[in-house]
Amino acid sequence: MPAPSEHVVDTIARTIGFTTVSRDSNLALIEWARAHLEGLGARCRLTYDSERRKANLFASLGPEQDGGVALSGHTDVVPVDGQAWDTDPFRAEVAQDCLYGRGAADMKGFVGTALALAPEFVANGLRQPLHFAFSYDEEIGCIGVRDLIADLAHAGIKPDSVIVGEPTSMRVVIGHKGKHGYRCTVRGLSCHSAYAPQGVNAVEAAAEIIAYLKGMARRFRDRGPHDALFDVTHTTVHTGVIRGGTALNIVPKECSFDFEFRHLPGDDPAALFEEVKTFAEQTLLPEMKRVDPVSGFEWEVLAVMPGLDVASDSNPARLALGLTDFRDIGKVSYGTEASLFQQAGMPAIVCGPGSIEQAHKPNEYVSLDQLAQCEAFLHRLMHRVCG
Ligand SMILES: [Zn+2]
């Protein structure tokens, strides 16, 4: 079985040693990566969060010119709280041909491999720019990378191809779903449950909207549209949280619930949201208002992530397909930062070592075979952009 070089494994282990759970600072890792890349002559740009506890790093090696390739990854990891690990999650360990540690697959395996090979790219003489885009707070809604992208737009920096190294088992992914999350708060009117018709039951109104959402979910499942390249081939709808009511003998005056659409790139999430609002306002609201004119709904946007849909003959797709052992392309149901790069005019694909199956779980790992494939991928890239 092919193995990654020792230097790659050591560098990944180093990145895992930085405890960069999203709620914590990532500055130690970012400063270390910056020092490493600046030592190679990189031009570095940092964008901070409002408290300056976290930063994105964008570093450019090679000639100062337009275009080039960007290797992109997030530096934050999900928490290990409540998870039963057999090893220290922040101390990488190699066992049974796998490297274990928080972020091994998602996605310090890729970030570490890219950093380990940076000196070799420089030594071979870059003919075009090679960029490193490392973000914070990806795991809590792709927060950090939005500032990084805005900074690039401001500076007029636009890579031709962005490779986002989220775990795809080194397959080239040209599409993923978008995610739009919302909170609906129902304002009703409280009263003694013996006089229920004099109140506006917020829990029941919420339940009717949730049932409507479930109906939408069934419609997409049964009637599509379907895209067979996705593992879940249609847009999905899901309600994840509900809060409301105080006691059985009180008509509840408030209820809120959180729901989301994970939509095919071709489906319009704004239209889906409008459909739900229209149902609530046309079917439920008149009856509520007859009892209490101030009852109604508040809608709040919780998350907005566009879908990714890159042509298979686009720059990054052609480039990446020429660098992998797999010639097939895929689409995935989880979201990544790639769609935000694409939206900003920087075409992006997703390709990285490890499987999403191991992400976010206890005993997260990436196989050494996957790391070797990632290293080979970047070596082939070296032949394209150097010399
Ligand atoms: Zn990730």
Side-chain angles (χ1 to χ4, degrees):
M1 196 179 67
S5 61
E6 217 171 290
H7 178 52
V8 163
V9 173
D10 289 348
T11 310
I12 297 168
R14 191 83 194 263
T15 63
I16 289 173
F18 292 100
T19 53
T20 52
V21 176
S22 307
R23 64 182 173 230
D24 300 323
S25 171
N26 75 336
L27 290 183
L29 169 52
I30 288 292
E31 283 304 334
W32 170 76
R34 172 165 76 161
H36 171 63
L37 293 168
E38 274 184 348
L40 301 168
R43 306 173 292 281
C44 291
R45 309 178 67 84
L46 287 153
T47 38
Y48 290 89
D49 73 335
S50 58
E51 296 167 355
R52 289 185 81 85
R53 284 178 64 236
K54 302 172 189 174
N56 303 302
L57 170 64
F58 189 84
S60 306
L61 291 167
E64 213 163 326
Q65 66 188 49
D66 285 347
V69 177
L71 304 176
S72 162
H74 59 84
T75 60
D76 60 319
V77 295
V78 296
V80 297
D81 309 57
Q83 294 187 340
W85 281 72
D86 297 328
T87 59
D88 179 347
F90 298 104
R91 238 186 96 118
E93 270 187 43
V94 175
Q96 285 134 9
D97 295 324
C98 293
L99 186 147
Y100 290 84
R102 175 50 90 225
D106 186 13
M107 55 183 289
K108 287 176 170 174
F110 180 80
V111 168
T113 306
L115 282 169
L117 297 186
E120 229 179 303
F121 275 93
V122 173
N124 282 290
L126 280 158
R127 278 184 285 108
Q128 53 172 289
L130 179 70
H131 309 281
F132 297 81
F134 298 144
S135 65
Y136 67 87
D137 282 1
E138 188 272 349
E139 295 289 3
I140 53 174
C142 295
I143 310 284
V145 77
R146 294 171 204 252
D147 285 338
L148 181 149
I149 289 170
D151 178 60
L152 294 188
H154 183 72
I157 299 170
K158 210 176 205 184
D160 292 328
S161 295
V162 181
I163 297 168
V164 177
E166 291 278 0
T168 66
S169 304
M170 292 310 293
R171 279 169 203 279
V172 177
V173 163
I174 58 164
H176 64 64
K177 287 184 175 173
K179 175 176 119 171
H180 284 229
Y182 303 92
R183 174 166 301 158
C184 173
T185 303
V186 186
R187 305 247 170 257
L189 177 66
S190 189
C191 70
H192 192 300
S193 64
Y195 301 92
Q198 295 172 14
V200 176
N201 190 315
V203 167
E204 289 175 1
E208 290 196 81
I209 300 172
I210 292 167
Y212 187 85
L213 288 164
K214 183 68 187 174
M216 290 175 80
R218 292 193 180 102
R219 190 176 82 210
F220 296 127
R221 180 196 65 194
D222 297 340
R223 287 191 257 150
H226 294 276
D227 181 339
L229 280 179
F230 282 100
D231 44 3
V232 180
T233 60
H234 50 86
T235 291
T236 58
V237 189
H238 147 92
T239 304
V241 179
I242 181 165
R243 315 162 203 83
T246 47
L248 183 57
N249 59 2
I250 300 172
V251 170
K253 72 167 191 292
E254 190 174 301
C255 182
S256 74
F257 59 96
D258 301 349
F259 63 99
E260 67 175 23
F261 302 110
R262 292 199 179 238
H263 64 91
L264 295 179
D267 276 348
D268 176 12
L272 303 180
F273 181 52
E274 274 313 308
E275 182 183 332
V276 181
K277 272 177 81 174
T278 302
F279 166 76
E281 278 156 20
Q282 292 186 357
T283 309
L284 306 179
L285 195 59
E287 190 184 353
M288 292 162 66
K289 285 214 178 282
R290 274 199 293 278
V291 179
D292 180 12
V294 298
S295 61
F297 308 100
E298 277 164 31
W299 306 89
E300 190 186 327
V301 179
L302 299 180
V304 174
M305 271 298 294
L308 175 72
D309 191 10
V310 176
S312 56
D313 62 354
S314 63
N315 280 334
R318 283 206 325 255
L319 174 69
L321 282 168
L323 307 176
T324 61
D325 297 326
F326 306 105
R327 294 293 172 263
D328 56 328
I329 50 168
K331 297 184 180 180
V332 293
S333 293
Y334 57 89
T336 78
E337 297 175 336
S339 58
L340 293 167
F341 281 105
Q342 188 203 14
Q343 198 179 46
M346 295 172 254
I349 56 97
V350 190
C351 183
S355 164
I356 198 74
E357 287 292 312
Q358 276 85 53
H360 301 197
K361 291 190 180 151
N363 301 325
E364 179 178 348
Y365 68 87
V366 60
S367 74
L368 296 183
D369 180 50
Q370 281 288 304
L371 294 178
Q373 283 187 44
C374 181
E375 191 175 352
F377 177 95
L378 291 177
H379 270 131
R380 290 183 201 123
L381 176 63
M382 216 175 278
H383 291 133
R384 294 289 185 90
V385 298
C386 297

